[in-house]
Amino acid sequence: MGKRHLIGLLLATEEDWPSAFEAVLDRLGPVRYRGETHELTTERITNEPFDLRYTPKFQLVIDRLSWWYDLPREWLKKVALMDDVYLLNNPFTFQAMEKHAAYCAMLRLGIKVPDTWLIPHRLPIDNPRFVHMAERYNPEFDLEEVGETVGYPLFMKPFDGGMWVGVTRITTPEELRFAYEHSGERLMHVQASVEDFDVFTRSLSIGPQTLVAQYDPSAHGHYRYGTETDFLSPELHREVETISRLVNAFFRWEFNSCEVIVKGDVAAPIDYANASPDIALVSLHYHFPWAIRALIAWCAFCAVSERPMHINQSTADYFEIGDAELSYEDKLERYRELADRYFQQEEFEAFCAEALPHLDEVVVEYVESAEFDELAVRTITTEVLEPENHEALIERSRSNVAMWAADQRAAATS
């Protein structure tokens, strides 16, 4: 009898990727690694009271919920500290998974983050002591001076936001004052805009696997990801890919997305702390099968190889490089080496070759199946609120996924 590995799915409301993940794992069946058979199974986790001394049954958990709710967040901390359950994102640095900590770390490491300021809350936070403290220690500041220092145009955005909520493009001091006056209790960043850029990219990283996609933030949410593959030079593609992996290895995040704006030969990261990175069928379309395949491969590797979870960060290793008198290019390569070591790049590739040689074929066959088509239709008709858009999105999804499958078959043949 082989070893059984239970993967827990800690979910919010999404149904598309969990269903696809479960279906592909079922089609994949047991895997063989180093002479042993391993069965990978899943179970969706419910949020219930728990004894701090109880022993969970999960070996690995994919978390899509704890950023928003306290109960699952504290459960994850318990199972990480007491039970060695593998979590794709470190639950302790995960609480610092906001733009501010990520900006600070990458600035220290010499990455080309646009000029960024943090400004105080416009309205007092809900704490009876705040007003008295602020009267004594929060002096008046000149918002317009901050704007002039950063330079126009600029963006005001929540220090911990997501999904573009609360993000405002600002071109004048008057617009800056208006945006600040309406920011309420939210703590905001003011960040320089990268104007007239060449490419806006979004990278999805799962373990050591990174997909760099062309992205249009101004488009409708279902049409933002492009399908082009040659929109960056090899050198810039590697730089963008390295930045995404560096962020994740530094913070011990293994399921995250990163946005980098490319202008000329400069890659400027602007957002790289996403608690639940976009993995939705209705937005990824062409890239959705890649995401499912990558998630299965990494979860299988971590579970089967019994990869230990790294709670502690090795920040000194990164700061040593960041503080050294090295060129930017040399620093990136050193960071890449650290990231590859953390993610066990060579071991992971060897594992996939031995244990998952047919995973690509399984994923292709699944996305070409009637089962997947039914999932896509069900997802679009239930998640897209505008019925008049359903037919067009269904056809777009079908054509893009078919294009991905054809590309995979062509690559396998060549």
Side-chain angles (χ1 to χ4, degrees), residues 2-289:
K3 293 184 177 180
R4 182 174 179 269
H5 308 275
L6 182 59
I7 298 172
L9 306 182
L10 187 57
L11 305 173
T13 59
E14 67 264 63
E15 186 63 35
D16 50 358
W17 79 260
S19 296
F21 186 89
E22 293 161 343
V24 172
L25 266 188
D26 184 62
R27 286 169 175 253
L28 183 65
V31 301
R32 294 281 296 174
Y33 182 61
R34 294 182 175 176
E36 292 186 311
T37 300
H38 299 265
E39 180 186 4
L40 298 162
T41 61
T42 64
E43 182 177 315
R44 300 191 182 194
I45 299 171
T46 54
N47 302 297
E48 303 178 65
F50 61 90
D51 180 351
L52 269 62
R53 289 188 172 89
Y54 100 104
T55 301
K57 55 188 173 182
F58 304 101
Q59 182 179 350
L60 181 149
V61 171
I62 302 173
D63 169 37
R64 301 282 291 179
L65 185 65
S66 70
W67 177 250
W68 294 275
Y69 300 103
D70 292 337
L71 177 64
R73 182 184 303 176
E74 300 312 308
W75 179 78
L76 288 173
K77 292 177 185 175
K78 173 264 188 294
V79 300
L81 284 172
M82 298 181 66
D83 309 296
D84 295 323
V85 174
Y86 197 95
L87 310 177
L88 297 194
N89 288 333
N90 185 322
F92 304 101
T93 63
F94 186 80
Q95 286 201 264
M97 190 178 244
E98 20 87 335
K99 318 306 178 191
H100 185 72
Y103 287 150
C104 293
M106 293 305 107
L107 284 167
R108 170 74 183 269
L109 298 182
I111 303 302
K112 301 172 184 178
V113 180
D115 289 346
T116 307
W117 283 56
L118 186 71
I119 57 177
H121 305 87
R122 174 63 186 87
L123 297 178
I125 60 175
D126 186 17
N127 184 320
R129 299 184 179 184
F130 179 84
V131 173
H132 301 294
M133 180 280 297
E135 288 174 349
R136 298 179 65 184
Y137 299 113
N138 286 20
E140 293 289 332
F141 72 98
D142 190 333
L143 179 64
E144 284 72 19
E145 183 177 345
V146 173
E148 292 297 332
T149 301
V150 174
Y152 296 98
L154 54 82
F155 282 90
M156 180 180 286
K157 51 187 177 180
F159 85 109
D160 61 348
M163 300 177 66
W164 297 84
V165 175
V167 178
T168 307
R169 186 176 188 274
I170 294 167
T171 60
T172 66
E174 293 75 22
E175 291 177 359
L176 178 61
R177 172 59 60 182
F178 182 85
Y180 182 61
E181 292 295 330
H182 290 79
S183 63
E185 295 183 2
R186 304 195 76 167
L187 192 61
M188 307 295 279
H189 278 132
V190 172
Q191 185 174 81
S193 172
V194 180
E195 292 293 295
D196 302 319
F197 59 82
D198 299 313
V199 182
F200 193 115
T201 71
R202 175 175 277 185
S203 305
L204 176 61
S205 284
I206 301 174
Q209 309 157 102
T210 301
L211 166 73
V212 180
Q214 191 169 11
Y215 189 76
D216 181 2
S218 65
H220 187 281
H222 305 315
Y223 296 88
R224 289 177 178 169
Y225 288 88
T227 60
E228 297 82 359
T229 58
D230 57 352
F231 54 90
L232 290 175
S233 67
E235 295 78 15
L236 279 169
H237 185 281
R238 181 176 175 82
E239 180 177 347
V240 171
E241 185 180 70
T242 299
I243 290 171
S244 183
R245 295 185 187 179
L246 164 62
V247 170
N248 290 358
F250 181 89
F251 284 106
R252 305 314 197 212
W253 302 337
E254 300 175 7
F255 189 14
N256 187 32
S257 62
C258 176
E259 292 174 358
V260 177
I261 296 178
V262 177
K263 181 177 181 179
D265 60 355
V266 175
I270 62 164
D271 182 359
Y272 35 91
N274 294 287
S276 291
D278 189 0
I279 194 175
L281 172 63
V282 293
S283 55
L284 291 185
H285 296 292
Y286 177 87
H287 304 292
F288 183 77

Side-chain angles (χ1 to χ4, degrees), residues 383-400:
E383 294 187 7
V384 178
L385 300 180
E386 307 88 357
E388 65 275 13
N389 294 335
H390 289 173
E391 184 176 347
L393 276 175
I394 289 170
E395 290 308 313
R396 182 173 189 270
S397 180
R398 284 171 173 163
S399 63
N400 278 359

Side-chain angles (χ1 to χ4, degrees), residues 23-25 27-29 31 209 287-298 300 348-349 351-369 401-402 404-414:
V24 172
L25 266 188
R27 286 169 175 253
L28 183 65
V31 301
Q209 309 157 102
H287 304 292
F288 183 77
W290 179 92
I292 298 301
R293 186 248 180 238
L295 191 58
I296 286 176
W298 183 242
F348 171 70
E349 291 177 355
F351 170 83
C352 290
E354 179 181 345
L356 304 174
H358 304 303
L359 178 57
D360 290 346
E361 182 181 349
V362 170
V363 175
V364 169
E365 291 178 352
Y366 169 64
V367 299
E368 291 179 330
S369 71
V401 171
W404 179 87
D407 290 345
Q408 298 307 300
R409 292 189 183 281
T413 301
S414 63

